[in-house]
Amino acid sequence: IINDDWPGYSLDLFNYPTHYSGDLDCVIIPHGVIMDRTERLARNIMDDLGDHDIVVLCVLKGGYQFCADLVERIKALSRNSNHTIPMRVHFIRLRSYLNDQSTEDLHILGAEDLSFLAGKGIVGTGKTMETLLQHVKAFKPKMIKVAGLLVKRVQHSLASVPDYVGFEIPNRFVVGYALDYNEYFRDLNHICIISESGKKKYKV
């Protein structure tokens, strides 16, 4: 849990692309901490779902890095464990943000025919899951579990909490580790808080 008053780490302590100078306030989660937490989530998933046949639904674009790292760690654990998880990965794209505001207009691409999910266990990774979950349930999977790297504390939010959570963070707009602001900042390794000048610079 990252508290609301957590100031983050100074950018001077980390390497990051110089073309983002002035566009970031701070590093809120360093890359190494993300990797360590992702391995812990992989262990939890192995403990819960080992020996199940699962399909991983990766939500693009923001979820691809977390999904790739999580799947790699599950595979590594599976190779060195009595539990093994037969696993397939399928990609779905959701788009719900314009600049830093979530919109009502949610598009799902790649989810037209998910009939192969019938009877399988599902681990979804990414954000904006409520609409997607309703869509997936129509294909009658055996079970659905959601893994999310980040959960924001939002007042009066009715959104369900993922089964596997990496970090609970303040309600601030974050970028990096494949999370973008209008397609920028995906090339950051760390998760950072975007500055007001960064929002203005890349606003569409």
Side-chain angles (χ1 to χ4, degrees), residues 110-183:
E112 294 81 8
D113 182 13
L114 297 177
S115 56
F116 61 88
L117 298 180
K120 304 293 185 184
I122 308 300
V123 177
T125 64
K127 60 183 182 178
T128 320
M129 296 299 298
E130 290 297 325
T131 300
L132 179 58
L133 285 174
Q134 293 304 314
H135 186 79
V136 169
K137 286 175 182 176
F139 294 93
K140 296 181 171 53
K142 183 177 180 181
M143 73 175 85
I144 301 173
K145 299 288 186 181
V146 178
L149 180 65
L150 304 177
V151 171
K152 288 185 180 180
R153 284 189 299 278
V154 180
Q155 281 190 331
H156 312 302
S157 174
L158 299 177
S160 58
V161 176
D163 302 280
Y164 307 98
V165 177
F167 304 91
E168 181 184 301
I169 65 172
N171 186 22
R172 300 185 65 185
F173 199 86
V174 295
V175 294
Y177 193 64
L179 301 172
D180 75 302
Y181 178 81
N182 294 329
E183 299 301 327

Side-chain angles (χ1 to χ4, degrees), residues 25 32 42-43 55 58 91 104 121-122 138 144 157 174 181-182 190:
D25 278 341
R43 289 180 181 275
V55 177
C58 175
F91 297 93
E104 296 293 328
I122 308 300
I144 301 173
S157 174
V174 295
Y181 178 81
N182 294 329
H190 314 293

